[in-house]
Amino acid sequence: MTATRNARLVSGAAGATVFTTDSPALGRIEFTVLDPVQDLDLIHEWVTRPTSRFWGLGELSRDDLRDVYLFVDSLPSHHAFLVRRDGLPIVLLQTYEPEHDPLGEVYEVQPGDAGIHFLLGDRGAPLPGFSTYFSDVIAEFLFSRPEVDRVVIEPDIRNARAVARAQKSGFLLGPQVQLPEKTGQLGFLTRERWEASRPV
C-alpha cells in the first residue's frame, strides 16, 4: 500500500487506500482516494439528500458532480476521500491547503493548517458517541502527516448541529467569516489539544 504525498496532506491515485486504522469503538476504518467515476452513484445519492443541503452540491447532475470531483482530483492542494467503516462507505471527506482556497483570503493561515469538509453518508452499526469517535479518526488521519499542526473547519453558521459537533469534538471556535457561498464559523483543533484529549 503506497500513497503519493505532498508536503502536508495525504493524497494518492483514485481508488487507492492511503490510510487505515483500527478503532476500538468503530472497527476498521479505511481512507480511500475518491474515484469520481467509480464512486459517482454513491456520492450523487449522498449529496442530493435533503439532509445534505449545506454541502451545496444537491442541484448538480451526475455528470456535473463527476466533473467537480475530477477537477478536485487534478488539484495538488485539494483532495477527496471515501471513508469506510468495516468495508461500508460512510463519509465523503475533503482536505485542502487553506492558502490555496477562498478560505485563506478571510483568515490568517498558519503554515501547518489543514482544512477539511466531511459529509456523513452512513453510520453502519449504531454506536453512542459515533460523531466524537469519528472526529478523532479524522484528526488521526490529518495528523499522520507531521507537517500538519492544526485542523481548520468552517461550517455554515446555519448548520447548528455541525457547529455543536465540532465543539464537542474539541474544536475551539474562532470568528465568523464571509465566504463566497456562505457565512462560515471558523473552528480550530491543534495537534497539541487533540493529543491531550485522547484516551491514554
Side-chain angles (χ1 to χ4, degrees), residues 85-128:
R85 177 187 179 194
D86 289 332
L88 175 71
I90 60 170
V91 163
L92 173 60
L93 173 70
Q94 293 177 209
T95 66
Y96 62 96
E97 298 173 352
E99 67 270 28
H100 299 297
D101 188 84
L103 179 63
E105 299 176 9
V106 295
Y107 90 104
E108 188 174 346
V109 180
Q110 296 183 9
D113 282 356
I116 63 167
H117 305 288
F118 80 90
L119 176 66
L120 180 65
D122 203 336
R123 291 175 180 265
L127 175 69

Side-chain angles (χ1 to χ4, degrees), residues 125-190:
L127 175 69
F130 172 89
S131 295
T132 301
Y133 288 122
F134 191 75
S135 293
D136 181 69
V137 168
I138 291 179
E140 181 183 354
F141 172 61
L142 270 293
F143 289 129
S144 70
R145 293 298 295 151
E147 293 82 2
V148 174
D149 296 320
R150 188 170 69 160
V151 179
V152 182
I153 59 172
E154 33 78 14
D156 193 308
I157 61 169
R158 296 170 297 172
N159 192 348
R161 291 181 63 184
V163 175
R165 184 170 58 236
Q167 288 183 283
K168 190 174 181 179
S169 300
F171 282 81
L172 293 177
L173 299 186
Q176 294 179 0
V177 292
Q178 191 59 52
L179 293 164
E181 72 286 358
K182 68 183 180 184
T183 301
Q185 172 62 65
L186 279 175
F188 304 97
L189 179 64
T190 63

Side-chain angles (χ1 to χ4, degrees), residues 71-83:
F71 176 70
V72 170
D73 190 50
S74 74
L75 298 174
S77 57
H78 290 63
H79 311 286
F81 305 90
L82 196 58
V83 186

